[in-house]
Amino acid sequence: MENDASAVVAAAPHAQGGPHTDPFTPPADSSLWRKDFLIGAATASYQIEGAVNEDGRLPSIWDTYSATPGKVLAGDTGAVACDHYHRWEQDVDLLAGLGLEAYRLSTAWPRVMDEKGAPNRKGLDFYKRLLERLKEKNITTFVTLYHWDLPQHLEDRGGWLNRETAYRFADYADLMSRELHGLVDAWATLNEPWCSAYLGYCVGRHAPGLTNVRFATQAMHHLLLAHALALPVLRANDPRSHKGIVANVGRGTPNSDSAADRRAAELFEIQHNAWVLDPLFKGEYPQDLFELWPRAEPLVLDGDMQKINAPLDFLGINYYFRTNVASDGGAGFTEVPLEGVERTQMGWEVYPDGLRELLIGFKKTYVNLPPIYITENGMASNDQVIDGRVEDTQRISFLKRHLAALDQAIKAGVDVRGYFLWSLMDNFEWAFGYERRFGIVHVDYKTQQRTIKRSGELVSKFLKDRNAQAQ
């Protein structure tokens, strides 16, 4: 493997302007010009690392799920992905070259512990070397402990349906925070527990592929318990770092002004947002959730909710789209796709106002809301390299409008400290395999060449302009 980043990062001939105009730079009064507002990019272990059978890494539920015929588009798996496990030095150089100030990554639980919970030194050393290099480059590090790649041996014993998994997660958090203390600026316990619980256990579109609503509510409770058990361990082992959790949130809007459709929109946001946020910030599950899902209450033991309700240093928010809903005629809702709206390659509606509306709503709803980081925001498009360039015009417009909506929320009093693009580079997009491209850097999966997209060039230019202005 060559260590020269130029061997894999295609040149960006117009990164400083050239014949292109700059449709990205925020207005002069935008909060984004503040030097203390952190701007970075995010990835996740299973989506980029590959090397699934190397150096003692154990199988994860996503190895199993993606190898199951019919589960992932085109039969794709994360076996190679972006080969980041072997190309991490070049990828750090790429981050630094773009001028990104922060990097959000996840560690792979199956890479760092064996079935008995003993450390896997080779896996730990990989993350240690990666984080040390990031610190050398003065890049702020956000590390997520769980981005969905549960060790398969734990799933074999019930996975998140087994309360014991929450205690094993605390052991994992203990190991990682002892090994990596001083190298991590912010720890997130979980990424998007809604996806793990609902997509994984209710509708079966994510690993482990189960389809029972009572499984989903119990899995959610054990995920949040795992978060709660890990927090004091992280605080004890790495006291100078910040600790939080990352939730994906969705905006639900009513299809009409009828009382039934307005209630449907409320129920959508209760299921999508309050199911996670109410336990964290109110110490209880929203009772209206069980109007939607009767007799699906999880088993909660004494003291669980008090632990889950512990204070956080930050909340990570991931936002992508809104959902237009109508009453299903009963106690639920049904999606009603709008006609004539802009959509991404995923089929998701582009709706920047939803980010502002949700953030302002959360500030009103949760009096103990900690500082917020937008830990994921971005879009997929069918990007292609043509004459050495990737002109991702829709993504540039998407980012500009969402950052403007974020700025409006900040000016309305929401304490938002930073923004992470999803994603640094194209990668394995879970059930959609490699077809959907979210990166500001294009990846040719056959050659592993990285090509900075026009969006990446413009983000880089803005950061360099902001840095120059601050000096």
Side-chain angles (χ1 to χ4, degrees), residues 194 198 220 266-276 286 289 292-293 333:
W194 184 91
Y198 184 75
M220 175 65 82
E266 289 176 2
L267 285 170
F268 172 87
E269 292 198 1
I270 287 167
Q271 185 253 44
H272 210 95
N273 305 334
W275 185 18
V276 175
L289 181 69
L292 184 65
W293 293 332
F333 57 82

Side-chain angles (χ1 to χ4, degrees), residues 287-362:
Q287 285 307 300
D288 288 356
L289 181 69
F290 306 111
E291 172 187 329
L292 184 65
W293 293 332
R295 298 178 298 281
E297 295 93 336
L299 175 63
V300 177
L301 301 189
D302 288 346
D304 284 0
M305 300 313 293
Q306 292 91 327
K307 293 184 179 76
I308 292 169
N309 188 216
L312 299 174
D313 300 323
F314 74 93
L315 171 65
I317 290 290
N318 297 351
Y319 172 79
Y320 289 98
F321 60 96
R322 76 151 162 186
T323 304
N324 188 65
V325 297
S327 170
D328 65 358
F333 57 82
T334 184
E335 181 177 354
V336 182
L338 294 171
E339 299 292 332
V341 298
E342 180 186 356
R343 295 188 181 277
T344 71
Q345 188 189 21
M346 295 291 289
W348 297 343
E349 182 190 353
V350 177
Y351 190 69
D353 287 346
L355 179 58
R356 181 192 69 247
E357 292 161 0
L358 286 169
L359 290 174
I360 292 172
F362 295 154

Side-chain angles (χ1 to χ4, degrees), residues 139-159:
I139 294 173
T140 300
T141 51
F142 276 58
V143 173
T144 304
L145 285 167
Y146 185 70
H147 202 127
W148 308 349
D149 42 1
L150 183 72
Q152 182 62 43
H153 66 87
L154 290 177
E155 177 60 33
D156 293 341
R157 296 201 287 271

Side-chain angles (χ1 to χ4, degrees), residues 222-463:
H222 290 156
L223 282 155
L224 294 177
L225 178 63
H227 155 80
L229 295 173
L231 274 182
V233 172
L234 294 170
R235 293 196 185 284
N237 291 345
D238 199 7
R240 295 182 62 184
S241 62
H242 296 290
K243 289 85 181 172
I245 191 173
V246 172
N248 60 302
V249 298
R251 182 71 171 114
T253 55
N255 191 52
S256 75
D257 197 41
S258 71
D261 283 0
R262 291 199 307 271
R263 179 57 177 164
E266 289 176 2
L267 285 170
F268 172 87
E269 292 198 1
I270 287 167
Q271 185 253 44
H272 210 95
N273 305 334
W275 185 18
V276 175
L277 299 181
D278 276 17
L280 292 170
F281 301 118
K282 293 183 176 180
E284 60 186 15
Y285 289 104
Q287 285 307 300
D288 288 356
L289 181 69
F290 306 111
E291 172 187 329
L292 184 65
W293 293 332
R295 298 178 298 281
E297 295 93 336
L299 175 63
V300 177
L301 301 189
D302 288 346
D304 284 0
M305 300 313 293
Q306 292 91 327
K307 293 184 179 76
I308 292 169
N309 188 216
L312 299 174
D313 300 323
F314 74 93
L315 171 65
I317 290 290
N318 297 351
Y319 172 79
Y320 289 98
F321 60 96
R322 76 151 162 186
T323 304
N324 188 65
V325 297
S327 170
D328 65 358
F333 57 82
T334 184
E335 181 177 354
V336 182
L338 294 171
E339 299 292 332
V341 298
E342 180 186 356
R343 295 188 181 277
T344 71
Q345 188 189 21
M346 295 291 289
W348 297 343
E349 182 190 353
V350 177
Y351 190 69
D353 287 346
L355 179 58
R356 181 192 69 247
E357 292 161 0
L358 286 169
L359 290 174
I360 292 172
F362 295 154
K363 178 178 169 58
K364 292 177 180 176
T365 301
Y366 303 109
V367 295
N368 55 341
L369 194 69
I372 288 171
Y373 290 87
I374 306 303
T375 36
E376 290 182 26
N377 178 237
M379 60 155 285
S381 56
N382 184 24
D383 301 322
Q384 300 177 35
V385 180
I386 300 174
D387 296 329
R389 296 191 54 76
V390 182
E391 296 289 348
D392 54 338
T393 304
Q394 187 187 15
R395 180 173 293 104
I396 294 165
S397 173
F398 178 102
L399 295 175
K400 184 178 179 70
R401 286 177 285 160
H402 281 79
L403 288 167
L406 178 59
D407 181 53
Q408 292 166 1
I410 294 170
K411 289 175 177 173
V414 184
D415 185 5
V416 183
R417 305 282 179 90
Y419 174 91
F420 290 79
L421 296 144
W422 185 269
S423 174
L424 171 64
M425 62 183 114
D426 300 335
N427 54 49
F428 177 78
E429 189 48 47
W430 306 111
F432 294 97
Y434 294 103
E435 183 186 86
R436 314 295 165 92
R437 294 181 176 271
F438 276 86
I440 59 169
V441 175
H442 182 279
V443 177
D444 182 322
Y445 297 112
K446 292 181 179 178
T447 66
Q448 292 297 339
Q449 177 167 298
R450 276 74 158 141
T451 302
I452 300 170
K453 301 178 187 180
R454 181 63 180 153
S455 59
E457 295 174 9
L458 292 175
V459 169
S460 178
K461 180 180 182 297
F462 165 63
L463 288 169

